[in-house]
Structure formats: structure tokens, C-alpha cells
């Protein structure tokens, strides 16, 4: 029996710690041992939750739970929930702290998508807090004078890539709609940590050191991350008085304090004044920014409904397509150790990504076959293509019910560890799944008022047309760039059973789909499901997670006809299973925990 069979087999025999610990040790060597010291100041329950994650078992609770990428942020959310606050209240507190302690991944300067299950009505809805392109932008934003696409990082670093942030308005909209706690109090914890200082985590320090020069392009950013010229170090105490002041304004005046007035002026000055690569964001863009409530996109999978974020995210449609195609195949019987299971998952993903690349963008700007893409008859016809024995020799977009096809160039962006996912269930039974981002690690690298500004606009296609045919995801003024973020709530008989999501660029889709299969078909608990070694296929190579038993499938998958790439795969899955009580899982590849009572 090879290592994969052994580990997965053990996992199936409920020896979960072996599998989870395997992933933790091999993927994030800094996390398992240094976490305990780095988070020495955290509460006893949070420390226990950290130990649970490190030994590969889920945390358990009865009333409420919060899972996110940093213990300090989780503790802030837990305090709100313990005092009777809703999941929306807790999210505000978690996001405010994440923007401080995990500034490279998400924050006030970015955007987010939120999926909400309402206990009272039993309904699921979504809030779109995605960044928008400035009104002054045009389809050639990321092209040189000859119309050629800019190099990725030439576009990213500076003001040009900065879209109108959506996260502050999203926090406010969610609180107005579903919150019950006093708004201003939700920032107390983050303000105190920013003023008194927080302990720099190994992950943040490591990423700052790796970034080196790029992060020193702009003076305000250099001064914060390289005080006295040297990179901040793990375990050191860092204060951020500018961030505290920004939070104080938002706490007392609401999100208007961010979108109008002094803070807005400073954001615009930082973007338009970014030396070497100024951007186009204006005070008008900030003033007119709106969060959009949109219907959830749901797909059926084994008597469950898998619901998430529709356009401008490709997340729910692509996750839904993958699972919808797999619904006709008995993955439970095949088991997680079977190359045949991974052939089915891999090719379902390739087919779904072909549709994604053809059809998906901001549906407020581009007509899209949203319903047709997850229609059961369409998915059944696509699933028939998986009936063979080998990898599909060719994969192309299908023809969902709608014929307004548009070409979409391969605008794959380079991925660095960024973005963050928050899962919360409150004592009232509401569930919240929110993926939040500033896009690339450290976003545009431009900082204003104590937070980093996003580079979300580079999620648009750099090319605007292909052989004269317009590309759906091209830049247009006011448009939202296509995302892969897949905040998800899985229901059964109308009640939530799994709240899940992850960072990871377009690999998010694979991470989330695989964890749902692992949980539902292979019976893994949430911690096993998020820690399990990754197998991700988008539209190119079959990516297997380096240093884990997944890599042992390199030969069988190559023999099936895939081009295989063994590589690091940076997920950050945070999940809560709802059933007989609550069980939480936190990705061992990051620093987070799941905490509940
Ligand atoms: N900006 C990406 C998106 O919206 C997410 C980036 C990441 O997960 O690292 O799809």
C-alpha cells in the first residue's frame, strides 16, 4: 500500500489526525510548531482550538462557532457571539481584526462576497461587495501603447490596479440587515489591538520577508512593514495607529466616513499619486459605490443544495457545475484513493472551467446564461462526456440554454498567498460564509490610512478582444472583475449542513468542490476535509499538492493522460458542519482556528 492509500485509508478508519497532521507538517512547517508561541497571548479556549487543528480533529460546540484565518480575529468574533450577537455582527469584528493581523490578505481596502442563511426565513441570499473599475477606466487599462497586455506585476504594483473598495460598505450592509449589536462596539477589539500592538504572526513576517523590495516601492507601505529599514519579525509587537484612527471614524460615523471626506481623499491621493504607476480611482467612484444584493446560485448534489455567489463571481457556478456533473457517478464507492475518482473530478473540473472561461463575467455588463450553466439537463449531458476510461483528450465549452457566446481569453493571474475566508454560525441558527480579499498578497502594495489597497482590477482580462470578438471579462467603467471566490453554504432539506470557503485564486473552486466531496461522499469530518491533500484541475495541468500523499498519484494520473504538476497549493479553507451540534475545521496551511461554545 502506498502512502496515499495508507493515509487516506487511515482517514476513512477515523484516524484523522494522521492525515491532517501529515498535511500540516508537510505544507506549513512553520505553522504547527511556532503557532503556539506566536499566539501565546490568546485565551485558553482559543489555544485548545489551535491544538485541535494541529492534531487534526475538529472543534466541537453546541450554540455558535466562528472559523477564520487568525486566532486574534476569531476571538474577536467569538466575543460578539458569546454576548448574543449575530453572525453578521461577529463578521464585522472578525474582519476589522483580520485587516490588522493578516493585512496581506483582506481588509478595508478590498472587496468581499457574503452568503447568508437566514434562520427565520430559511432563505439564502448573497451580498456582493466586489470592487468596481473606476469610471475613468477603459478596456485598454492594462495594455501598453501597442495594445499588448502589461506584465502582471507591472500592472499590480501601484495605483492602476486599485478598484473601488467594497468591504467597508459590505460590513455596514450586513450589519444593517442582520446585525443586532451596537455597530460602534464591534470595532473595540481591533482598535485596542491596533493601538496597544499585536504580535506579528510567523506567516505575516515570512510573507513580508519574501516580498522584499516590491513592498518597499511606496513610502507609507515601506515605513509600516520595514520600520527602521528592517522587515517586521515574527513575535514582535506591531502597532498601527493610523488603522485605529480609521476604525474609530467608521465606528462612530459608519461607512460614509470611509467613502466620503478625509479618508476618501487620502485613498484617492495615494492611488493617483502612486509614483511610476498612478491609478484612476476618484472621489466620485468612492461616493457612488454600492453593495448589491443578489440571488444565491444553487446546484443540486446528492440530495443537497450547494449555494453560493453568482456573477461577478464564477465561484458558485463552477463549483456547482463540477458537483452537478459528479452527481451521476458513485464517488463514495470509488473512494478517495482511486485514480478513477480523481479522473472524474479532474475532467468535471476541466469541463466546468471551459464554460467559466467562455461565459462568466459581471452579468450586469455582459449577458450570461446563469441558469443554463447549472440546469440539471445541461449538466447531465456534460456528465456523459466523463463516461470513458482516460482523461478527455480535448475539452471545450458547452452550449448551455442560451446562445450569446463570447470568447474569453486565458487571463489566469499569478497566485500568491492572499485572501481569507470567514465561516460563522450564530446561536440563532443563522449562517454566514464570506470570502474577503485584496487580491494579490499585499494587494497593490499602496497603503493609505493604515490599510493596504487592493489590486482587484487585475482580475479583469488584460486583453479586451480576441480576433475581433470582445472578451466578456474585459475592463469597463464601473464593472466588477470576475472572481473565483466561492463562499458556500450547503443545505439539506432547507437547513444548512456545511458552511465553507477558501482563498486560492481560481484554485478556490477546486479546493471547495473537493472538500464538499470529501465531507459528503467520503464521510470525512470537517477538519479532515479541509486538511486533506489537494488535487486541483482547472483547464491545464492536474496539480497535486507537493510533499503530501497526493503527489503519489503522479504516475497513475499521468498514465490516464493528464499533464501533472506537483506543486505547493495554498488553500485556507474554513468550514463549519452543522448537524448534531457544530463541528469546525481550520486549514493547517494557514494560522486559523475554529472556535465555539
Ligand atoms: N482575487 C481573487 C478572486 O477574486 C482571489 C485571490 C486569492 O484567492 O488569492 O478570485
Amino acid at each position: 500500500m502506498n502512502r496515499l492509500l495508507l493515509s487516506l485509508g487511515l482517514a476513512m478508519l477515523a484516524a484523522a489526525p494522521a492525515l491532517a497532521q501529515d498535511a500540516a507538517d508537510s505544507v506549513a512547517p512553520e505553522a504547527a510548531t511556532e503557532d503556539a508561541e506566536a499566539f501565546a497571548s490568546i485565551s485558553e479556549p482559543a489555544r485548545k482550538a489551535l491544538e485541535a487543528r494541529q492534531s487534526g480533529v475538529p472543534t466541537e460546540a453546541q450554540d455558535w462557532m466562528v472559523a477564520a484565518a487568525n486566532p486574534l480575529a476569531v476571538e474577536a468574533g467569538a466575543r460578539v457571539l458569546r454576548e448574543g450577537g449575530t453572525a453578521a455582527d461577529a463578521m464585522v469584528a472578525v474582519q476589522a481584526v483580520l485587516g490588522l493581523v493578516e493585512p496581506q490578505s483582506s481588509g478595508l481596502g478590498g472587496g468581499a462576497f457574503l452568503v447568508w442563511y437566514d434562520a427565520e426565513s430559511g432563505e439564502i441570499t448573497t451580498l456582493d461587495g466586489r470592487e468596481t473599475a473606476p469610471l475613468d477606466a477603459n478596456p485598454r487599462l492594462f495594455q501598453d501603447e501597442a495594445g499588448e497586455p502589461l506584465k502582471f506585476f507591472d500592472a499590480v504594483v501601484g495605483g492602476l490596479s486599485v478598484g473601488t473598495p467594497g468591504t467597508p460598505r459590505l460590513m455596514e450592509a450586513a450589519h444593517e440587515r442582520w446585525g443586532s449589536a451596537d455597530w460602534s462596539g464591534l470595532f473595540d477589539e481591533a482598535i485596542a489591538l491596533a493601538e496597544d500592538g499585536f504580535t506579528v504572526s510567523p506567516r505575516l513576517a515570512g510573507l513580508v520577508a519574501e516580498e522584499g523590495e516590491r513592498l518597499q516601492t511606496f513610502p507609507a507601505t515601506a515605513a509600516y512593514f520595514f520600520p527602521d529599514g528592517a522587515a517586521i519579525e515574527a513575535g514582535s509587537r506591531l502597532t498601527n495607529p493610523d488603522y485605529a484612527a480609521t476604525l474609530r471614524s467608521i465606528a462612530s460615523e459608519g461607512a460614509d466616513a470611509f467613502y466620503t471626506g478625509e479618508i476618501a481623499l487620502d485613498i484617492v491621493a495615494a492611488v493617483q499619486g502612486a509614483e511610476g504607476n498612478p491609478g484612476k480611482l476618484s472621489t466620485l467612484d468612492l461616493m457612488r459605490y454600492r453593495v448589491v444584493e443578489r440571488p444565491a446560485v444553487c446546484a443540486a448534489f446528492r440530495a443537497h443544495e450547494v449555494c453560493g455567489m453568482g456573477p461577478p463571481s464564477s465561484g458558485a457556478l463552477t463549483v456547482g457545475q463540477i458537483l452537478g456533473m459528479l452527481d451521476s457517478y458513485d464517488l463514495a464507492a470509488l473512494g478517495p484513493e482511486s485514480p478513477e475518482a480523481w479522473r472524474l473530478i479532474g475532467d468535471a473540473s476541466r469541463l466546468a472551467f471551459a464554460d467559466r472561461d467562455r461565459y462568466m463575467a459581471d452579468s450586469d455588463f455582459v449577458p450570461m446564461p446563469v441558469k443554463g450553466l447549472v440546469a440539471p439537463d445541461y449538466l447531465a449531458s456534460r456528465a456523459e462526456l466523463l463516461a470513458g476510461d482516460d482523461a478527455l483528450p480535448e475539452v471545450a465549452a458547452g452550449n448551455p440554454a442560451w446562445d450569446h457566446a463570447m470568447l474569453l481569453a486565458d487571463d489566469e493571474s499569478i497566485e500568491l498567498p492572499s485572501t481569507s475566508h470567514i465561516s460563522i454560525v450564530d446561536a440563532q441558527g443563522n449562517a454566514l460564509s464570506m470570502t474577503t480579499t485584496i487580491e494579490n498578497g499585499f494587494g497593490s502594495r499602496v497603503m493609505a490610512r493604515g490599510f493596504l489597497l487592493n489590486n482587484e482590477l487585475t482580475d479583469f482580462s488584460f486583453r479586451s478582444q480576441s480576433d475581433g470578438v470582445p472578451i466578456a471579462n474585459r475592463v469597463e467603467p464601473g464593472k466588477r472583475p470576475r472572481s473565483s471566490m466561492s463562499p458556500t453554504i450547503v443545505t439539506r432539506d432547507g437547513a444548512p449542513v456545511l458552511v465553507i470557503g477558501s482563498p486560492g485564486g481560481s484554485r478556490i473552486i477546486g479546493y471547495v468542490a473537493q472538500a464538499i466531496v470529501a465531507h459528503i461522499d467520503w464521510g470525512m469530518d470537517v477538519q479532515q476535509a479541509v486538511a486533506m491533500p489537494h488535487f486541483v484541475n482547472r483547464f491545464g495541468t492536474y496539480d497535486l499538492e507537493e510533499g503530501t500523499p497526493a503527489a503519489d498519484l503522479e504516475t497513475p494520473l499521468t498514465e490516464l493522460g493528464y499533464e501533472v504538476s506537483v506543486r505547493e497549493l495554498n488553500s485556507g479553507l474554513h468550514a463549519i458542519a452543522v448537524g448534531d451540534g457544530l463541528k469546525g475545521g481550520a486549514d493547517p496551511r494557514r494560522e486559523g482556528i475554529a472556535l465555539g461554545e
Side-chain angles (χ1 to χ4, degrees):
M1 201 186 254
N2 68 21
R3 235 175 110 219
L4 179 83
L5 292 176
L6 184 64
S7 295
L8 296 178
L10 284 175
M12 297 309 286
L13 293 171
L19 181 63
Q21 196 58 56
D22 198 355
D25 289 348
S26 53
V27 182
E30 86 280 9
T33 47
E34 291 176 24
D35 269 350
E37 291 158 40
F39 299 112
S41 64
I42 61 177
S43 67
E44 185 59 17
R47 199 182 52 72
K48 285 214 170 99
L50 194 57
E51 283 168 9
R53 188 256 280 162
Q54 287 169 351
S55 49
V57 294
T59 50
E60 298 194 24
Q62 281 309 315
D63 295 334
W64 53 261
M65 186 167 273
V66 45
N70 182 286
L72 296 169
V74 169
E75 280 188 316
R79 203 149 298 144
V80 173
L81 292 164
R82 195 174 289 125
E83 286 166 9
T86 68
D89 297 323
M91 173 279 287
V92 175
V94 173
Q95 178 65 74
V97 176
L98 280 180
L100 176 71
V101 300
E102 201 199 29
Q104 74 277 11
S105 296
S106 76
L108 300 176
F113 294 123
L114 187 159
V115 184
W116 178 265
Y117 168 82
D118 198 72
E120 212 173 285
S121 66
E123 272 164 24
I124 295 186
T125 188
T126 72
L127 292 184
D128 167 0
R130 185 71 163 169
E131 297 89 336
T132 54
L135 291 176
D136 199 19
N138 65 58
R140 296 192 51 178
L141 187 72
F142 296 124
Q143 295 170 13
D144 64 17
E145 310 239 302
E148 286 306 311
L150 298 179
K151 286 200 194 108
F152 185 67
F153 278 110
D154 289 349
V156 167
V157 179
L160 201 63
S161 63
V162 181
T164 321
T167 301
R169 272 281 181 242
L170 177 74
M171 293 160 81
E172 184 178 68
H175 178 263
E176 270 172 9
R177 191 81 210 266
W178 304 299
S180 65
D182 169 44
W183 165 260
S184 62
L186 298 173
F187 298 88
D188 288 353
E189 189 109 359
I191 291 170
L193 283 166
E195 280 174 351
D196 303 342
F198 67 96
T199 309
V200 173
S201 79
R203 184 176 166 78
L204 171 56
L207 292 171
V208 169
E210 263 174 45
E211 266 284 302
E213 265 179 35
R214 198 178 284 145
L215 203 50
Q216 299 182 63
T217 313
F218 305 104
T221 322
Y224 183 64
F225 291 105
F226 297 83
D228 308 320
I232 51 170
E233 282 181 24
S236 65
R237 188 154 279 268
L238 190 61
T239 58
N240 189 341
D242 290 348
Y243 186 64
T246 301
L247 291 183
R248 276 191 197 286
S249 301
I250 296 175
S252 60
E253 295 158 45
D256 279 350
F258 180 97
Y259 288 93
T260 57
E262 299 288 316
I263 298 176
L265 285 173
D266 277 2
I267 294 171
V268 168
V271 170
Q272 295 191 357
E275 216 186 303
N277 197 15
K280 297 177 181 291
L281 187 77
S282 70
T283 48
L284 182 61
D285 293 310
L286 285 160
M287 210 157 49
R288 67 189 290 281
Y289 183 82
R290 297 282 174 274
V291 165
V292 186
E293 183 171 352
R294 302 181 188 275
V297 166
C298 299
F301 181 62
R302 317 238 193 266
H304 294 77
E305 288 283 301
V306 179
C307 297
M309 193 70 219
S313 185
S314 61
L317 286 171
T318 315
V319 169
Q321 280 208 336
I322 294 170
L323 296 176
M325 282 182 248
L326 294 172
D327 207 27
S328 343
Y329 295 89
D330 192 352
L331 293 178
L334 289 169
E337 64 267 36
S338 142
E340 171 66 0
W342 295 110
R343 178 188 72 78
L344 290 164
I345 296 170
D347 273 356
S349 304
R350 290 167 73 205
L351 289 166
F353 269 87
D355 275 2
R356 172 184 180 272
D357 283 1
R358 171 70 58 88
Y359 298 112
M360 300 183 202
D362 182 350
S363 54
D364 290 348
F365 282 75
V366 182
M368 255 187 72
V370 174
K371 287 209 176 90
L373 285 165
V374 284
D377 56 343
Y378 174 63
L379 292 180
S381 72
R382 295 288 274 173
E384 279 170 23
L385 299 172
L386 305 174
D389 298 318
D390 294 322
L392 289 171
E394 265 177 50
V395 167
N399 291 303
W402 177 79
D403 61 3
H404 195 294
M406 282 187 169
L407 289 178
L408 190 59
D410 188 2
D411 58 351
E412 188 57 53
S413 55
I414 295 171
E415 285 163 34
L416 287 177
S418 59
T419 309
S420 215
H421 183 79
I422 305 167
S423 290
I424 307 177
V425 175
D426 64 27
Q428 295 80 16
N430 303 301
L432 174 151
S433 186
M434 170 166 148
T435 311
T436 174
T437 186
I438 56 170
E439 211 307 279
N440 200 243
F442 302 97
S444 63
R445 279 73 174 173
V446 178
M447 218 169 167
R449 295 271 184 157
F451 56 87
L452 285 159
L453 293 164
N454 70 83
N455 67 297
E456 217 69 52
L457 301 184
T458 58
D459 273 358
F460 281 117
S461 172
F462 284 24
R463 290 185 196 278
S464 42
Q465 49 89 24
S466 173
D467 293 333
V469 181
I471 290 171
N473 188 33
R474 67 189 177 278
V475 184
E476 295 179 75
K479 189 176 176 182
R480 299 172 188 225
R482 182 186 65 192
S483 170
S484 300
M485 293 195 287
S486 310
T488 303
I489 296 180
V490 182
T491 63
R492 189 179 178 126
D493 301 327
V497 294
L498 185 66
V499 184
I500 190 165
S502 178
S506 57
R507 290 191 178 85
I508 291 173
I509 290 161
Y511 298 146
V512 170
Q514 180 186 314
I516 292 172
V517 167
H519 187 60
I520 292 180
D521 277 344
W522 297 330
M524 294 191 196
D525 67 41
V526 269
Q527 186 57 44
Q528 290 170 304
V530 303
M532 181 187 184
H534 289 310
F535 302 70
V536 182
N537 199 323
R538 294 169 297 171
F539 206 1
T541 54
Y542 209 139
D543 301 333
L544 308 182
E545 190 172 6
E546 189 174 37
T548 77
D552 294 353
L553 252 70
E554 185 174 3
T555 307
L557 290 173
T558 306
E559 282 166 6
L560 284 173
Y562 294 102
E563 193 189 324
V564 176
S565 160
V566 176
R567 49 170 296 156
E568 197 183 330
L569 292 170
N570 271 304
S571 59
L573 288 150
H574 295 115
I576 302 173
V578 189
D580 187 17
L582 304 169
K583 288 201 171 90
D587 200 318
R589 300 163 187 84
R590 292 226 172 175
E591 294 173 326
I593 55 171
L595 181 61
E597 272 175 24

